[in-house]
PDB file of all heavy atoms in Angstrom:
ATOM      1  N   VAL A 294      -0.911   9.810  -8.033  1.00  0.00           N
ATOM      2  CA  VAL A 294      -0.037   8.902  -8.772  1.00  0.00           C
ATOM      3  C   VAL A 294       0.675   9.684  -9.873  1.00  0.00           C
ATOM      4  O   VAL A 294       0.043  10.441 -10.619  1.00  0.00           O
ATOM      5  CB  VAL A 294      -0.815   7.733  -9.401  1.00  0.00           C
ATOM      6  CG1 VAL A 294       0.118   6.834 -10.209  1.00  0.00           C
ATOM      7  CG2 VAL A 294      -1.530   6.927  -8.311  1.00  0.00           C
ATOM      8  N   ARG A 295       1.980   9.534  -9.953  1.00  0.00           N
ATOM      9  CA  ARG A 295       2.754  10.144 -11.029  1.00  0.00           C
ATOM     10  C   ARG A 295       3.575   9.061 -11.720  1.00  0.00           C
ATOM     11  O   ARG A 295       4.360   8.350 -11.069  1.00  0.00           O
ATOM     12  CB  ARG A 295       3.690  11.236 -10.513  1.00  0.00           C
ATOM     13  CG  ARG A 295       4.541  11.879 -11.636  1.00  0.00           C
ATOM     14  CD  ARG A 295       5.584  12.825 -11.068  1.00  0.00           C
ATOM     15  NE  ARG A 295       4.994  14.024 -10.511  1.00  0.00           N
ATOM     16  CZ  ARG A 295       4.655  15.093 -11.219  1.00  0.00           C
ATOM     17  NH1 ARG A 295       4.848  15.115 -12.538  1.00  0.00           N
ATOM     18  NH2 ARG A 295       4.131  16.144 -10.622  1.00  0.00           N
ATOM     19  N   ASN A 296       3.402   8.945 -13.026  1.00  0.00           N
ATOM     20  CA  ASN A 296       4.255   8.083 -13.851  1.00  0.00           C
ATOM     21  C   ASN A 296       5.236   8.982 -14.585  1.00  0.00           C
ATOM     22  O   ASN A 296       4.830   9.829 -15.382  1.00  0.00           O
ATOM     23  CB  ASN A 296       3.421   7.287 -14.860  1.00  0.00           C
ATOM     24  CG  ASN A 296       2.558   6.235 -14.189  1.00  0.00           C
ATOM     25  OD1 ASN A 296       1.418   6.498 -13.832  1.00  0.00           O
ATOM     26  ND2 ASN A 296       3.103   5.051 -14.009  1.00  0.00           N
ATOM     27  N   ASP A 297       6.508   8.819 -14.297  1.00  0.00           N
ATOM     28  CA  ASP A 297       7.518   9.706 -14.862  1.00  0.00           C
ATOM     29  C   ASP A 297       8.437   8.930 -15.794  1.00  0.00           C
ATOM     30  O   ASP A 297       9.090   7.972 -15.363  1.00  0.00           O
ATOM     31  CB  ASP A 297       8.341  10.354 -13.746  1.00  0.00           C
ATOM     32  CG  ASP A 297       9.117  11.572 -14.215  1.00  0.00           C
ATOM     33  OD1 ASP A 297       9.828  11.460 -15.234  1.00  0.00           O
ATOM     34  OD2 ASP A 297       9.006  12.624 -13.560  1.00  0.00           O
ATOM     35  N   PRO A 298       8.515   9.326 -17.078  1.00  0.00           N
ATOM     36  CA  PRO A 298       9.361   8.598 -18.026  1.00  0.00           C
ATOM     37  C   PRO A 298      10.846   8.717 -17.715  1.00  0.00           C
ATOM     38  O   PRO A 298      11.655   7.912 -18.202  1.00  0.00           O
ATOM     39  CB  PRO A 298       9.026   9.249 -19.375  1.00  0.00           C
ATOM     40  CG  PRO A 298       8.499  10.607 -19.022  1.00  0.00           C
ATOM     41  CD  PRO A 298       7.783  10.423 -17.724  1.00  0.00           C
ATOM     42  N   ARG A 299      11.217   9.709 -16.902  1.00  0.00           N
ATOM     43  CA  ARG A 299      12.640   9.892 -16.569  1.00  0.00           C
ATOM     44  C   ARG A 299      13.097   9.015 -15.417  1.00  0.00           C
ATOM     45  O   ARG A 299      14.286   8.962 -15.111  1.00  0.00           O
ATOM     46  CB  ARG A 299      12.907  11.355 -16.208  1.00  0.00           C
ATOM     47  CG  ARG A 299      12.609  12.350 -17.320  1.00  0.00           C
ATOM     48  CD  ARG A 299      12.739  13.772 -16.803  1.00  0.00           C
ATOM     49  NE  ARG A 299      11.776  14.023 -15.733  1.00  0.00           N
ATOM     50  CZ  ARG A 299      11.833  15.103 -14.931  1.00  0.00           C
ATOM     51  NH1 ARG A 299      12.805  15.986 -15.094  1.00  0.00           N
ATOM     52  NH2 ARG A 299      10.909  15.275 -13.997  1.00  0.00           N
ATOM     53  N   LEU A 300      12.151   8.349 -14.768  1.00  0.00           N
ATOM     54  CA  LEU A 300      12.500   7.565 -13.587  1.00  0.00           C
ATOM     55  C   LEU A 300      13.390   6.395 -13.984  1.00  0.00           C
ATOM     56  O   LEU A 300      13.002   5.532 -14.771  1.00  0.00           O
ATOM     57  CB  LEU A 300      11.231   7.051 -12.908  1.00  0.00           C
ATOM     58  CG  LEU A 300      11.405   6.474 -11.505  1.00  0.00           C
ATOM     59  CD1 LEU A 300      11.886   7.542 -10.532  1.00  0.00           C
ATOM     60  CD2 LEU A 300      10.096   5.866 -11.012  1.00  0.00           C
ATOM     61  N   ARG A 301      14.583   6.368 -13.446  1.00  0.00           N
ATOM     62  CA  ARG A 301      15.539   5.301 -13.758  1.00  0.00           C
ATOM     63  C   ARG A 301      15.749   4.358 -12.584  1.00  0.00           C
ATOM     64  O   ARG A 301      16.230   3.250 -12.735  1.00  0.00           O
ATOM     65  CB  ARG A 301      16.886   5.912 -14.155  1.00  0.00           C
ATOM     66  CG  ARG A 301      16.814   6.719 -15.443  1.00  0.00           C
ATOM     67  CD  ARG A 301      16.561   5.813 -16.641  1.00  0.00           C
ATOM     68  NE  ARG A 301      16.459   6.578 -17.882  1.00  0.00           N
ATOM     69  CZ  ARG A 301      15.332   6.988 -18.432  1.00  0.00           C
ATOM     70  NH1 ARG A 301      14.184   6.709 -17.817  1.00  0.00           N
ATOM     71  NH2 ARG A 301      15.305   7.676 -19.547  1.00  0.00           N
ATOM     72  N   GLY A 302      15.404   4.820 -11.394  1.00  0.00           N
ATOM     73  CA  GLY A 302      15.582   3.977 -10.227  1.00  0.00           C
ATOM     74  C   GLY A 302      14.284   3.319  -9.824  1.00  0.00           C
ATOM     75  O   GLY A 302      13.378   3.112 -10.633  1.00  0.00           O
ATOM     76  N   GLU A 303      14.187   3.003  -8.546  1.00  0.00           N
ATOM     77  CA  GLU A 303      13.017   2.315  -8.038  1.00  0.00           C
ATOM     78  C   GLU A 303      11.841   3.281  -7.856  1.00  0.00           C
ATOM     79  O   GLU A 303      12.014   4.493  -7.813  1.00  0.00           O
ATOM     80  CB  GLU A 303      13.329   1.656  -6.691  1.00  0.00           C
ATOM     81  CG  GLU A 303      14.337   0.525  -6.762  1.00  0.00           C
ATOM     82  CD  GLU A 303      15.776   1.011  -6.728  1.00  0.00           C
ATOM     83  OE1 GLU A 303      15.997   2.234  -6.625  1.00  0.00           O
ATOM     84  OE2 GLU A 303      16.677   0.162  -6.794  1.00  0.00           O
ATOM     85  N   ALA A 304      10.666   2.707  -7.736  1.00  0.00           N
ATOM     86  CA  ALA A 304       9.457   3.482  -7.467  1.00  0.00           C
ATOM     87  C   ALA A 304       9.468   3.965  -6.018  1.00  0.00           C
ATOM     88  O   ALA A 304      10.350   3.625  -5.219  1.00  0.00           O
ATOM     89  CB  ALA A 304       8.227   2.615  -7.735  1.00  0.00           C
ATOM     90  N   THR A 305       8.475   4.772  -5.670  1.00  0.00           N
ATOM     91  CA  THR A 305       8.337   5.273  -4.302  1.00  0.00           C
ATOM     92  C   THR A 305       6.873   5.210  -3.893  1.00  0.00           C
ATOM     93  O   THR A 305       5.994   5.624  -4.651  1.00  0.00           O
ATOM     94  CB  THR A 305       8.821   6.730  -4.195  1.00  0.00           C
ATOM     95  OG1 THR A 305      10.205   6.811  -4.527  1.00  0.00           O
ATOM     96  CG2 THR A 305       8.615   7.250  -2.776  1.00  0.00           C
ATOM     97  N   PHE A 306       6.631   4.703  -2.684  1.00  0.00           N
ATOM     98  CA  PHE A 306       5.284   4.691  -2.116  1.00  0.00           C
ATOM     99  C   PHE A 306       5.284   5.520  -0.845  1.00  0.00           C
ATOM    100  O   PHE A 306       6.190   5.419  -0.014  1.00  0.00           O
ATOM    101  CB  PHE A 306       4.835   3.269  -1.786  1.00  0.00           C
ATOM    102  CG  PHE A 306       3.559   3.204  -0.985  1.00  0.00           C
ATOM    103  CD1 PHE A 306       2.367   3.688  -1.510  1.00  0.00           C
ATOM    104  CD2 PHE A 306       3.552   2.682   0.310  1.00  0.00           C
ATOM    105  CE1 PHE A 306       1.187   3.648  -0.767  1.00  0.00           C
ATOM    106  CE2 PHE A 306       2.390   2.635   1.055  1.00  0.00           C
ATOM    107  CZ  PHE A 306       1.190   3.116   0.507  1.00  0.00           C
ATOM    108  N   ILE A 307       4.257   6.379  -0.682  1.00  0.00           N
ATOM    109  CA  ILE A 307       4.101   7.215   0.508  1.00  0.00           C
ATOM    110  C   ILE A 307       2.681   7.072   1.044  1.00  0.00           C
ATOM    111  O   ILE A 307       1.716   7.089   0.273  1.00  0.00           O
ATOM    112  CB  ILE A 307       4.330   8.707   0.188  1.00  0.00           C
ATOM    113  CG1 ILE A 307       5.726   8.957  -0.358  1.00  0.00           C
ATOM    114  CG2 ILE A 307       4.048   9.564   1.420  1.00  0.00           C
ATOM    115  CD1 ILE A 307       6.809   8.991   0.675  1.00  0.00           C
ATOM    116  N   ARG A 308       2.568   6.922   2.342  1.00  0.00           N
ATOM    117  CA  ARG A 308       1.270   7.066   3.011  1.00  0.00           C
ATOM    118  C   ARG A 308       1.413   8.210   4.002  1.00  0.00           C
ATOM    119  O   ARG A 308       2.361   8.213   4.818  1.00  0.00           O
ATOM    120  CB  ARG A 308       0.888   5.791   3.755  1.00  0.00           C
ATOM    121  CG  ARG A 308      -0.521   5.853   4.353  1.00  0.00           C
ATOM    122  CD  ARG A 308      -1.553   5.414   3.354  1.00  0.00           C
ATOM    123  NE  ARG A 308      -2.880   5.926   3.661  1.00  0.00           N
ATOM    124  CZ  ARG A 308      -3.917   5.687   2.874  1.00  0.00           C
ATOM    125  NH1 ARG A 308      -3.769   4.977   1.766  1.00  0.00           N
ATOM    126  NH2 ARG A 308      -5.092   6.166   3.180  1.00  0.00           N
ATOM    127  N   SER A 309       0.538   9.198   3.955  1.00  0.00           N
ATOM    128  CA  SER A 309       0.691  10.406   4.755  1.00  0.00           C
ATOM    129  C   SER A 309      -0.569  10.678   5.567  1.00  0.00           C
ATOM    130  O   SER A 309      -1.677  10.694   5.019  1.00  0.00           O
ATOM    131  CB  SER A 309       0.975  11.596   3.830  1.00  0.00           C
ATOM    132  OG  SER A 309       1.199  12.771   4.565  1.00  0.00           O
ATOM    133  N   TRP A 310      -0.406  10.864   6.873  1.00  0.00           N
ATOM    134  CA  TRP A 310      -1.497  11.182   7.786  1.00  0.00           C
ATOM    135  C   TRP A 310      -1.318  12.595   8.331  1.00  0.00           C
ATOM    136  O   TRP A 310      -0.206  12.986   8.710  1.00  0.00           O
ATOM    137  CB  TRP A 310      -1.522  10.236   8.984  1.00  0.00           C
ATOM    138  CG  TRP A 310      -1.921   8.826   8.725  1.00  0.00           C
ATOM    139  CD1 TRP A 310      -3.164   8.267   8.880  1.00  0.00           C
ATOM    140  CD2 TRP A 310      -1.066   7.739   8.292  1.00  0.00           C
ATOM    141  NE1 TRP A 310      -3.140   6.930   8.579  1.00  0.00           N
ATOM    142  CE2 TRP A 310      -1.862   6.573   8.210  1.00  0.00           C
ATOM    143  CE3 TRP A 310       0.296   7.650   7.970  1.00  0.00           C
ATOM    144  CZ2 TRP A 310      -1.351   5.339   7.827  1.00  0.00           C
ATOM    145  CZ3 TRP A 310       0.812   6.430   7.579  1.00  0.00           C
ATOM    146  CH2 TRP A 310      -0.008   5.282   7.506  1.00  0.00           C
ATOM    147  N   GLN A 311      -2.379  13.374   8.417  1.00  0.00           N
ATOM    148  CA  GLN A 311      -2.317  14.636   9.144  1.00  0.00           C
ATOM    149  C   GLN A 311      -2.029  14.338  10.606  1.00  0.00           C
ATOM    150  O   GLN A 311      -2.548  13.376  11.171  1.00  0.00           O
ATOM    151  CB  GLN A 311      -3.636  15.395   9.016  1.00  0.00           C
ATOM    152  CG  GLN A 311      -3.957  15.864   7.608  1.00  0.00           C
ATOM    153  CD  GLN A 311      -5.327  16.511   7.521  1.00  0.00           C
ATOM    154  OE1 GLN A 311      -6.032  16.684   8.524  1.00  0.00           O
ATOM    155  NE2 GLN A 311      -5.734  16.870   6.315  1.00  0.00           N
ATOM    156  N   ALA A 312      -1.195  15.202  11.232  1.00  0.00           N
ATOM    157  CA  ALA A 312      -0.774  14.903  12.603  1.00  0.00           C
ATOM    158  C   ALA A 312      -0.598  16.187  13.404  1.00  0.00           C
ATOM    159  O   ALA A 312      -0.284  17.241  12.854  1.00  0.00           O
ATOM    160  CB  ALA A 312       0.535  14.110  12.592  1.00  0.00           C
ATOM    161  N   PRO A 313      -0.775  16.095  14.711  1.00  0.00           N
ATOM    162  CA  PRO A 313      -0.480  17.241  15.576  1.00  0.00           C
ATOM    163  C   PRO A 313       1.022  17.426  15.714  1.00  0.00           C
ATOM    164  O   PRO A 313       1.809  16.520  15.387  1.00  0.00           O
ATOM    165  CB  PRO A 313      -1.114  16.845  16.902  1.00  0.00           C
ATOM    166  CG  PRO A 313      -1.037  15.346  16.908  1.00  0.00           C
ATOM    167  CD  PRO A 313      -1.255  14.933  15.469  1.00  0.00           C
ATOM    168  N   SER A 314       1.417  18.589  16.188  1.00  0.00           N
ATOM    169  CA  SER A 314       2.827  18.871  16.433  1.00  0.00           C
ATOM    170  C   SER A 314       2.992  19.363  17.862  1.00  0.00           C
ATOM    171  O   SER A 314       2.047  19.303  18.673  1.00  0.00           O
ATOM    172  CB  SER A 314       3.321  19.941  15.460  1.00  0.00           C
ATOM    173  OG  SER A 314       2.767  21.207  15.792  1.00  0.00           O
ATOM    174  N   MET A 315       4.143  19.895  18.195  1.00  0.00           N
ATOM    175  CA  MET A 315       4.369  20.447  19.519  1.00  0.00           C
ATOM    176  C   MET A 315       3.675  21.801  19.692  1.00  0.00           C
ATOM    177  O   MET A 315       3.614  22.330  20.807  1.00  0.00           O
ATOM    178  CB  MET A 315       5.868  20.601  19.780  1.00  0.00           C
ATOM    179  CG  MET A 315       6.614  19.287  19.814  1.00  0.00           C
ATOM    180  SD  MET A 315       8.381  19.491  20.113  1.00  0.00           S
ATOM    181  CE  MET A 315       8.372  19.944  21.843  1.00  0.00           C
ATOM    182  N   THR A 316       3.161  22.369  18.580  1.00  0.00           N
ATOM    183  CA  THR A 316       2.555  23.697  18.654  1.00  0.00           C
ATOM    184  C   THR A 316       1.099  23.725  18.217  1.00  0.00           C
ATOM    185  O   THR A 316       0.448  24.765  18.345  1.00  0.00           O
ATOM    186  CB  THR A 316       3.333  24.692  17.776  1.00  0.00           C
ATOM    187  OG1 THR A 316       3.190  24.326  16.391  1.00  0.00           O
ATOM    188  CG2 THR A 316       4.802  24.736  18.146  1.00  0.00           C
ATOM    189  N   ALA A 317       0.555  22.635  17.688  1.00  0.00           N
ATOM    190  CA  ALA A 317      -0.809  22.661  17.144  1.00  0.00           C
ATOM    191  C   ALA A 317      -1.476  21.301  17.310  1.00  0.00           C
ATOM    192  O   ALA A 317      -0.825  20.261  17.238  1.00  0.00           O
ATOM    193  CB  ALA A 317      -0.791  23.048  15.666  1.00  0.00           C
ATOM    194  N   GLY A 318      -2.800  21.335  17.486  1.00  0.00           N
ATOM    195  CA  GLY A 318      -3.546  20.094  17.651  1.00  0.00           C
ATOM    196  C   GLY A 318      -3.335  19.499  19.031  1.00  0.00           C
ATOM    197  O   GLY A 318      -3.054  20.203  20.008  1.00  0.00           O
ATOM    198  N   GLU A 319      -3.476  18.185  19.117  1.00  0.00           N
ATOM    199  CA  GLU A 319      -3.268  17.470  20.386  1.00  0.00           C
ATOM    200  C   GLU A 319      -1.775  17.341  20.639  1.00  0.00           C
ATOM    201  O   GLU A 319      -1.145  16.316  20.367  1.00  0.00           O
ATOM    202  CB  GLU A 319      -3.937  16.096  20.328  1.00  0.00           C
ATOM    203  CG  GLU A 319      -5.452  16.152  20.244  1.00  0.00           C
ATOM    204  CD  GLU A 319      -6.075  16.597  21.565  1.00  0.00           C
ATOM    205  OE1 GLU A 319      -5.378  16.586  22.603  1.00  0.00           O
ATOM    206  OE2 GLU A 319      -7.259  16.962  21.553  1.00  0.00           O
ATOM    207  N   THR A 320      -1.189  18.412  21.189  1.00  0.00           N
ATOM    208  CA  THR A 320       0.270  18.489  21.339  1.00  0.00           C
ATOM    209  C   THR A 320       0.825  17.382  22.235  1.00  0.00           C
ATOM    210  O   THR A 320       1.998  17.023  22.116  1.00  0.00           O
ATOM    211  CB  THR A 320       0.675  19.858  21.906  1.00  0.00           C
ATOM    212  OG1 THR A 320       0.020  20.074  23.162  1.00  0.00           O
ATOM    213  CG2 THR A 320       0.259  20.971  20.947  1.00  0.00           C
ATOM    214  N   ARG A 321      -0.017  16.828  23.099  1.00  0.00           N
ATOM    215  CA  ARG A 321       0.451  15.759  23.995  1.00  0.00           C
ATOM    216  C   ARG A 321       0.880  14.518  23.220  1.00  0.00           C
ATOM    217  O   ARG A 321       1.593  13.665  23.752  1.00  0.00           O
ATOM    218  CB  ARG A 321      -0.646  15.383  24.994  1.00  0.00           C
ATOM    219  CG  ARG A 321      -1.909  14.834  24.343  1.00  0.00           C
ATOM    220  CD  ARG A 321      -3.087  14.798  25.308  1.00  0.00           C
ATOM    221  NE  ARG A 321      -4.325  14.455  24.644  1.00  0.00           N
ATOM    222  CZ  ARG A 321      -4.760  13.215  24.448  1.00  0.00           C
ATOM    223  NH1 ARG A 321      -4.024  12.192  24.895  1.00  0.00           N
ATOM    224  NH2 ARG A 321      -5.898  12.989  23.826  1.00  0.00           N
ATOM    225  N   HIS A 322       0.448  14.412  21.956  1.00  0.00           N
ATOM    226  CA  HIS A 322       0.831  13.246  21.157  1.00  0.00           C
ATOM    227  C   HIS A 322       2.202  13.396  20.492  1.00  0.00           C
ATOM    228  O   HIS A 322       2.686  12.446  19.874  1.00  0.00           O
ATOM    229  CB  HIS A 322      -0.207  12.999  20.058  1.00  0.00           C
ATOM    230  CG  HIS A 322      -1.527  12.519  20.551  1.00  0.00           C
ATOM    231  ND1 HIS A 322      -1.664  11.643  21.602  1.00  0.00           N
ATOM    232  CD2 HIS A 322      -2.801  12.789  20.116  1.00  0.00           C
ATOM    233  CE1 HIS A 322      -2.952  11.382  21.813  1.00  0.00           C
ATOM    234  NE2 HIS A 322      -3.659  12.078  20.932  1.00  0.00           N
ATOM    235  N   SER A 323       2.823  14.554  20.598  1.00  0.00           N
ATOM    236  CA  SER A 323       4.032  14.802  19.813  1.00  0.00           C
ATOM    237  C   SER A 323       5.175  13.846  20.157  1.00  0.00           C
ATOM    238  O   SER A 323       5.716  13.170  19.282  1.00  0.00           O
ATOM    239  CB  SER A 323       4.490  16.252  19.998  1.00  0.00           C
ATOM    240  OG  SER A 323       5.631  16.510  19.215  1.00  0.00           O
ATOM    241  N   GLU A 324       5.566  13.779  21.445  1.00  0.00           N
ATOM    242  CA  GLU A 324       6.660  12.859  21.795  1.00  0.00           C
ATOM    243  C   GLU A 324       6.291  11.395  21.552  1.00  0.00           C
ATOM    244  O   GLU A 324       7.107  10.630  21.038  1.00  0.00           O
ATOM    245  CB  GLU A 324       7.100  13.067  23.244  1.00  0.00           C
ATOM    246  CG  GLU A 324       8.049  14.221  23.442  1.00  0.00           C
ATOM    247  CD  GLU A 324       7.314  15.510  23.769  1.00  0.00           C
ATOM    248  OE1 GLU A 324       6.082  15.452  23.997  1.00  0.00           O
ATOM    249  OE2 GLU A 324       7.977  16.565  23.793  1.00  0.00           O
ATOM    250  N   PRO A 325       5.068  10.952  21.889  1.00  0.00           N
ATOM    251  CA  PRO A 325       4.697   9.583  21.541  1.00  0.00           C
ATOM    252  C   PRO A 325       4.781   9.303  20.036  1.00  0.00           C
ATOM    253  O   PRO A 325       5.164   8.201  19.638  1.00  0.00           O
ATOM    254  CB  PRO A 325       3.262   9.463  22.059  1.00  0.00           C
ATOM    255  CG  PRO A 325       3.211  10.394  23.222  1.00  0.00           C
ATOM    256  CD  PRO A 325       4.055  11.560  22.806  1.00  0.00           C
ATOM    257  N   LEU A 326       4.450  10.286  19.202  1.00  0.00           N
ATOM    258  CA  LEU A 326       4.570  10.077  17.758  1.00  0.00           C
ATOM    259  C   LEU A 326       6.024   9.976  17.327  1.00  0.00           C
ATOM    260  O   LEU A 326       6.352   9.264  16.372  1.00  0.00           O
ATOM    261  CB  LEU A 326       3.863  11.207  17.005  1.00  0.00           C
ATOM    262  CG  LEU A 326       2.333  11.160  17.009  1.00  0.00           C
ATOM    263  CD1 LEU A 326       1.757  12.431  16.395  1.00  0.00           C
ATOM    264  CD2 LEU A 326       1.815   9.928  16.258  1.00  0.00           C
ATOM    265  N   GLU A 327       6.920  10.679  18.016  1.00  0.00           N
ATOM    266  CA  GLU A 327       8.355  10.520  17.731  1.00  0.00           C
ATOM    267  C   GLU A 327       8.788   9.080  17.997  1.00  0.00           C
ATOM    268  O   GLU A 327       9.536   8.477  17.216  1.00  0.00           O
ATOM    269  CB  GLU A 327       9.171  11.480  18.599  1.00  0.00           C
ATOM    270  CG  GLU A 327       8.990  12.953  18.286  1.00  0.00           C
ATOM    271  CD  GLU A 327       9.800  13.402  17.106  1.00  0.00           C
ATOM    272  OE1 GLU A 327      10.452  12.555  16.451  1.00  0.00           O
ATOM    273  OE2 GLU A 327       9.787  14.619  16.821  1.00  0.00           O
ATOM    274  N   VAL A 328       8.332   8.541  19.110  1.00  0.00           N
ATOM    275  CA  VAL A 328       8.667   7.151  19.450  1.00  0.00           C
ATOM    276  C   VAL A 328       8.022   6.197  18.442  1.00  0.00           C
ATOM    277  O   VAL A 328       8.663   5.239  17.974  1.00  0.00           O
ATOM    278  CB  VAL A 328       8.223   6.824  20.885  1.00  0.00           C
ATOM    279  CG1 VAL A 328       8.485   5.350  21.214  1.00  0.00           C
ATOM    280  CG2 VAL A 328       8.932   7.728  21.885  1.00  0.00           C
ATOM    281  N   LEU A 329       6.772   6.461  18.090  1.00  0.00           N
ATOM    282  CA  LEU A 329       6.087   5.623  17.106  1.00  0.00           C
ATOM    283  C   LEU A 329       6.820   5.631  15.768  1.00  0.00           C
ATOM    284  O   LEU A 329       6.971   4.584  15.130  1.00  0.00           O
ATOM    285  CB  LEU A 329       4.654   6.125  16.919  1.00  0.00           C
ATOM    286  CG  LEU A 329       3.803   5.389  15.877  1.00  0.00           C
ATOM    287  CD1 LEU A 329       3.559   3.943  16.302  1.00  0.00           C
ATOM    288  CD2 LEU A 329       2.472   6.114  15.672  1.00  0.00           C
ATOM    289  N   ARG A 330       7.279   6.803  15.353  1.00  0.00           N
ATOM    290  CA  ARG A 330       8.031   6.884  14.095  1.00  0.00           C
ATOM    291  C   ARG A 330       9.239   5.960  14.132  1.00  0.00           C
ATOM    292  O   ARG A 330       9.524   5.233  13.171  1.00  0.00           O
ATOM    293  CB  ARG A 330       8.498   8.327  13.855  1.00  0.00           C
ATOM    294  CG  ARG A 330       9.387   8.484  12.612  1.00  0.00           C
ATOM    295  CD  ARG A 330      10.335   9.647  12.732  1.00  0.00           C
ATOM    296  NE  ARG A 330      11.263   9.532  13.848  1.00  0.00           N
ATOM    297  CZ  ARG A 330      12.360   8.785  13.836  1.00  0.00           C
ATOM    298  NH1 ARG A 330      12.657   8.042  12.763  1.00  0.00           N
ATOM    299  NH2 ARG A 330      13.154   8.737  14.882  1.00  0.00           N
TER     300      ARG A 330
END
């Protein structure tokens, strides 16, 4: 969490999951994750 006094616009929320790519991990999930995105 970052509270920034300079922020003049809206806030931002992020949720981030570790994921495989076309070169690492379960590479078979890469194109399905593109569709999911």
